[in-house]
């Protein structure tokens, strides 16, 4: 084999493993491969590591794996070595190789799930964490990983189950696990229970940074700002100059409107780092500058946040995937077909959903907080069930076709109850996810971009009210640009793609309303600001609920909204976000031609 620097050497693998590409990510992992002598050589590698000669061990490992690229013992050792060197892409690629070769390798599945989780690839991380639980259902680490991933993926009720399983399986209390469960309960809005668990975690081990940092964030969310500051002090003592603490201090200063101090904290992070801010920090800086009226600087910070996010994740808008899905939805959901498709019946024995739809940042959180302040309406928050159903429908209807074409099975005799089964699946999952409180008649589902699937919703819940929040498109696009969101085929990673996806969604919504009957109420965000009581009465009458003045004080609703709007909905109704785009007209010029038809169609103007 030529030396690595020889001009005719095979290309090195881009993942950074140290192997050539044809012996790493470019290898056909389905083919067999001889491993003669590999086990004996691994002993020499381990001996070099014990002797402290990591360079020699690394060279020997690479040479071994070039000859026997499917030797799991060698791949494991090289993956662990790359992890110790903080070469994350390489270790991730190597662990991925291991699980392809040996799907029941528990340690590799766990390691890969954790690496993917830390990178924010939650769907991939979930796949491997689920496999880890299948492999070892009595292993607490497998359940802990599922708890972490489900909590971060905004499915905290599932996460809570796995955290409690992990705690049950451990012989001794774990301060970290208890703190993880506390954070999960915080994300469910169960602040008192969360606080009790954080206190327990601190008693078990008062030297864990994550306990005090998570506790501080919980108290900030629960509006206990002074206590949050004390806990941040405790966290900083455990981890001096930690950038996460500095960022949280900035957020805390912003919550109490000390914008100058908040900005100084972010400048301190940038100075200590000796470089630019990360995506979250840059977005926070932009929001602070926006509140201070420094709009050009704010937009520059938002732009930097998106640029660094694209660089960090390598993710861009999946424009072709979005366009193809929307084309298929429009082709299937047409009036002639819908006239002969059945509808699910209504289940009078359970609470019914209220679908609050709208593009992200259009005001859906405010409306959910308003409606769920009613004693007969509970908040389901962002329920993932409609999206789950789009993947399950082919299997549940026993169809060889994908969604939405699989609905053609409904004309067959053995699927006449197919829509009722889909309805029941939705209601069961809503109950499991804690959306339905005792004694209520309705519950909300405000998953962003659920309007993509209005056809599906109307088939399984033909009488369910759909409240559609509309807001000036330029305000919506600007607000999405200034926040971290992943909904909508990653459209939020760039200003232009946000506008493009907004137009796709708006056109699809028009198609549904034209082709099928919907129990539909459009509500303008600006009208709610101007005439709150009038719009509240209209929405409650549409739902069928009696008027209740408590809904006007939505900011007193102690439920925690698990969205970027959580801070705003704890304040009284204000109008500073209405027509916010006017301060950014120059910066928004590139998207005005894209959005102008939608702006005119909705009756808005550009001023």
């Amino acid at each position: 084999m030529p030396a690595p620097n020889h001009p005719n050497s095979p290309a090195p693998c881009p993942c950074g493993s140290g192997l050539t590409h044809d012996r790493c990510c470019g290898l056909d992992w389905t083919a067999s491969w001889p491993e003669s002598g590999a086990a004996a050589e691994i002993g020499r590698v381990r001996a070099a590591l014990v002797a402290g000669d990591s360079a020699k061990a690394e060279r020997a490992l690479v040479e071994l794996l070039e000859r026997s690229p499917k030797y799991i013992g060698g791949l494991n050792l090289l993956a662990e070595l790359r992890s110790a060197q903080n070469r994350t892409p390489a270790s991730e690629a190597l662990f991925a190789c291991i699980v392809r070769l040996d799907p029941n390798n528990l340690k590799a599945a766990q390691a890969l799930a954790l690496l993917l989780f830390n990178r924010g690839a939650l769907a991939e991380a979930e796949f491997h964490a689920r496999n880890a639980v299948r492999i070892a259902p009595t292993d607490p680490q497998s359940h802990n990983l599922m708890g972490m991933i489900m909590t971060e993926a905004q499915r905290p009720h599932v996460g809570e189950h796995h955290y409690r399983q992990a705690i049950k399986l451990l012989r001794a209390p774990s301060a970290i696990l208890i703190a993880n469960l506390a954070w999960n309960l915080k994300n469910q809005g169960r602040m008192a229970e969360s606080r009790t668990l954080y206190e327990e975690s601190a008693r078990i081990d008062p030297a864990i940074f994550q306990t005090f940092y998570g506790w501080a964030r919980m108290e900030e969310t629960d509006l206990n700002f002074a206590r949050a500051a004390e806990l941040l002090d405790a966290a900083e003592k455990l981890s001096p100059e930690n950038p996460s603490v500095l960022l949280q201090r900035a957020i805390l200063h912003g919550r109490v409107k000390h914008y100058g101090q908040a900005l100084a904290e972010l400048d301190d992070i940038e100075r200590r780092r000796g470089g630019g801010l990360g995506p979250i920090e840059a977005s926070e800086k932009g929001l602070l500058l926006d509140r201070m009226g420094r709009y050009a600087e704010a937009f520059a910070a938002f732009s930097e946040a998106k640029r660094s996010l694209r660089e960090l994740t390598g993710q861009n808008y999946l424009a072709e995937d979005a366009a193809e899905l929307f084309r298929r939805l429009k082709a299937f959901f047409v009036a002639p077909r819908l006239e002969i498709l059945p509808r699910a019946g209504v289940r009078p024995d359970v609470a019914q959903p209220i679908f609050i739809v709208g593009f992200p940042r259009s005001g859906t959180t405010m409306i959910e907080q308003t409606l769920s302040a009613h004693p007969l309406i509970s908040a389901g928050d962002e329920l993932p069930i409609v999206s789950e159903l789009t993947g399950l429908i082919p299997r549940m209807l026993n169809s060889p076709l994908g969604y939405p074409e699989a609905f053609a099975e409904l004309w067959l005799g053995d699927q006449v109850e197919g829509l009722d089964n889909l309805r029941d699946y939705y209601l069961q999952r809503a109950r499991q996810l804690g959306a339905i409180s005792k004694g209520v008649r309705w519950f909300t589902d405000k998953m962003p971009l659920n309007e993509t699937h209005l056809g599906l919703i109307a088939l399984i819940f033909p009488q369910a009210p759909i409240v559609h929040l509309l807001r000036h498109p330029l305000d919506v696009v600007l607000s999405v640009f200034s926040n971290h969101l992943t909904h909508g085929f990653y459209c939020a990673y760039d200003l232009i793609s946000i506008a493009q996806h907004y137009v796709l969604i708006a056109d699809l919504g028009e198609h549904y309303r034209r082709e099928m009957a919907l129990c539909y109420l459009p509500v303008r965000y600006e009208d709610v600001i101007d005439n709150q009581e009038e719009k509240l009465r209209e929405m409650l009458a549409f739902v069928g609920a009696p008027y209740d003045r408590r809904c006007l004080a939505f900011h007193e609703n102690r439920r925690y909204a698990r969205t970027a709007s959580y801070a705003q909905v704890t304040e009284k109704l204000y109008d500073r976000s209405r027509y916010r785009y006017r301060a950014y007209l120059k910066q928004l010029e590139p998207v005005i031609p894209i959005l102008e038809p939608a702006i005119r169609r909705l009756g808005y103007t550009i001023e």
Side-chain angles (χ1 to χ4, degrees):
M1 177 180 296
N5 59 352
H6 190 280
N8 295 322
S9 295
C13 192
C15 78
S17 64
L19 304 174
T20 54
H21 180 63
D22 62 336
R23 293 296 189 272
C24 189
C25 296
L27 184 67
D28 177 8
W29 292 95
T30 63
S32 60
W33 202 272
E35 296 180 359
S36 57
E41 291 186 46
I42 208 73
R44 289 191 288 275
V45 173
R46 293 188 184 280
L49 286 173
V50 171
D53 193 345
S54 59
K56 179 180 178 181
E58 183 174 346
R59 285 194 304 272
L61 263 178
V62 169
E63 290 173 6
L64 167 62
L65 289 168
E66 287 292 345
R67 292 193 303 274
S68 300
K70 295 187 178 182
Y71 178 53
I72 290 176
L75 288 168
N76 262 316
L77 202 52
L78 187 58
E80 291 168 8
L81 187 60
R82 294 295 182 245
S83 294
Q85 295 167 338
N86 292 319
R87 294 167 64 175
T88 304
S91 57
E92 182 182 312
L94 288 162
F95 281 123
C97 293
I98 295 167
V99 299
R100 282 199 294 269
L101 283 170
D102 182 8
N104 292 323
N105 190 309
L106 176 62
K107 290 190 179 299
Q110 290 175 337
L112 183 56
L114 184 58
L115 288 167
L116 291 165
F117 171 78
N118 289 335
R119 182 159 64 81
L122 297 181
E124 297 171 73
E126 179 185 343
F127 176 86
H128 294 288
R130 284 182 177 275
N131 196 41
V133 174
R134 294 186 195 104
I135 295 166
T138 59
D139 183 84
Q141 175 61 6
S142 298
H143 288 285
N144 183 42
L145 280 167
M146 274 296 291
M148 292 164 56
I149 294 163
M150 292 294 95
T151 302
E152 188 67 18
Q154 296 196 14
R155 293 158 69 185
H157 292 82
V158 180
E160 178 186 354
H161 168 82
H162 286 283
Y163 278 141
R164 293 195 184 278
Q165 284 295 107
I167 290 169
K168 187 187 303 183
L169 289 165
L170 284 174
R171 295 178 180 176
S174 164
I176 284 284
L177 259 177
I178 290 169
N180 284 352
L181 178 57
W183 179 255
N184 174 283
L185 296 177
K186 171 259 184 192
N187 283 351
Q188 296 185 51
R190 293 155 63 180
M191 301 304 181
E193 295 172 77
S194 174
R195 186 174 294 112
T196 299
L197 286 173
Y198 275 125
E199 290 168 353
E200 182 182 350
S201 176
R203 279 195 303 271
I204 293 170
D205 189 342
I208 295 179
F209 165 78
Q210 292 89 338
T211 296
F212 291 94
Y213 176 68
W215 192 354
R217 292 185 64 183
M218 184 276 289
E219 296 292 0
E220 176 261 321
T221 302
D222 205 30
L223 310 182
N224 299 317
F225 301 135
R227 180 58 174 147
E230 293 172 359
L231 290 162
L232 281 177
D233 289 340
E236 189 166 33
K237 287 179 181 176
L238 294 170
S239 181
E241 301 185 0
N242 188 299
S244 295
V245 173
L246 296 176
L247 173 60
Q248 195 58 30
R249 282 195 194 283
I251 292 171
L252 194 56
H253 286 312
R255 291 296 303 275
V256 295
K257 298 180 172 56
H258 295 162
Y259 301 135
Q261 289 175 264
L263 204 56
E265 294 282 1
L266 293 173
D267 289 341
D268 193 24
I269 294 174
E270 194 166 8
R271 186 170 53 254
R272 293 177 193 225
R273 185 174 291 165
L277 296 171
I280 296 175
E281 298 152 347
S283 285
E284 187 64 27
K285 182 176 182 178
L287 291 170
L288 291 167
L289 290 165
D290 176 90
R291 291 169 196 149
M292 298 168 76
R294 295 160 60 178
Y295 300 117
E297 295 172 82
F299 197 86
F302 298 144
S303 299
E304 174 58 22
K306 297 300 183 184
R307 184 205 63 77
S308 60
L309 188 63
R310 291 192 300 272
E311 183 179 285
L312 182 68
T313 63
Q315 189 64 64
N316 288 289
Y317 179 45
L318 303 175
E320 292 182 6
D321 293 349
E324 174 60 14
L325 173 63
F326 284 36
R327 182 196 64 76
R328 289 172 55 210
L329 290 169
K330 285 183 176 180
F332 185 85
F333 288 101
V334 292
R337 181 178 288 114
L338 291 164
E339 287 174 4
I340 58 174
L341 275 176
R343 301 293 189 272
V346 177
R347 283 269 306 273
D349 58 320
V350 294
Q352 297 298 301
I354 302 169
F355 292 95
I356 303 172
V357 303
F359 208 82
R361 310 298 297 167
S362 60
T364 55
T365 301
M366 176 185 69
I367 295 304
E368 181 176 57
Q369 289 291 91
T370 296
L371 293 178
S372 63
H374 196 289
L376 296 179
I377 303 172
S378 64
D381 211 320
E382 298 182 355
L383 297 176
I385 315 172
V386 170
S387 179
E388 287 177 11
L389 281 173
T390 64
L392 290 172
I393 281 169
R395 180 155 54 89
M396 292 184 71
L397 296 181
N398 195 27
S399 176
L401 305 174
Y403 166 79
E405 295 83 6
F407 278 130
E409 306 298 327
L410 297 171
W411 292 312
L412 298 174
D414 56 358
Q415 292 299 340
V416 293
E417 296 181 354
L419 289 175
D420 288 341
N421 293 334
L422 296 175
R423 175 206 63 200
D424 290 345
Y425 175 91
Y426 179 99
L427 291 170
Q428 179 188 22
R429 290 284 289 125
R431 180 186 58 77
Q432 290 172 342
L433 292 169
I436 306 174
S437 301
K438 186 177 180 180
V440 302
R441 290 176 57 190
W442 297 274
F443 63 94
T444 58
D445 179 346
K446 72 162 203 77
M447 175 58 78
L449 301 177
N450 255 354
E451 62 265 44
T452 305
H453 304 295
L454 286 181
L456 164 59
I457 289 170
L459 289 179
I460 61 174
F461 292 107
Q463 296 181 30
I466 300 168
V467 179
H468 187 187
L469 263 292
L470 302 169
R471 185 183 178 191
H472 196 297
L474 285 172
D475 273 346
V476 172
V477 168
L478 175 63
S479 190
V480 171
F481 188 65
S482 61
N483 284 276
H484 282 283
L485 302 168
T486 57
H487 303 296
F489 295 87
Y490 300 102
C491 68
Y493 284 42
D494 182 79
L495 183 68
I496 298 293
S497 59
I498 299 169
Q500 291 171 334
H501 200 68
Y502 179 95
V503 169
L504 274 180
I505 287 285
D507 288 347
L508 181 61
E510 287 287 314
H511 172 85
Y512 281 129
R513 291 191 291 278
R514 184 172 59 250
E515 298 292 326
M516 64 190 305
L518 299 172
C519 187
Y520 174 84
L521 177 70
V523 176
R524 285 177 180 258
Y525 170 87
E526 296 84 2
D527 291 345
V528 176
I529 301 298
D530 288 336
N531 302 293
Q532 184 188 14
E533 183 171 357
E534 176 186 327
K535 300 311 291 184
L536 172 62
R537 288 182 181 277
E538 181 183 15
M539 287 187 288
L540 290 176
F542 174 66
V543 169
Y547 178 71
D548 194 305
R549 288 191 59 83
R550 285 172 287 189
C551 296
L552 294 173
F554 68 87
H555 58 284
E556 296 176 2
N557 187 340
R558 296 300 289 170
R559 170 191 162 267
Y560 169 52
R562 297 192 307 272
T563 72
S565 309
Y566 81 93
Q568 292 98 310
V569 294
T570 61
E571 301 180 39
K572 290 183 178 180
L573 197 66
Y574 56 79
D575 66 356
R576 65 175 180 267
S577 293
R578 182 177 51 176
Y579 305 128
R580 175 183 170 214
Y581 77 88
R582 291 170 178 166
Y584 293 92
L585 263 178
K586 180 176 175 55
Q587 291 84 0
L588 292 171
E589 283 178 358
V591 299
I592 289 176
I594 301 171
L595 294 171
E596 195 160 11
I599 292 170
R600 304 299 180 199
R601 186 168 66 234
L602 292 172
Y604 291 104
T605 58
I606 302 173
E607 300 172 15

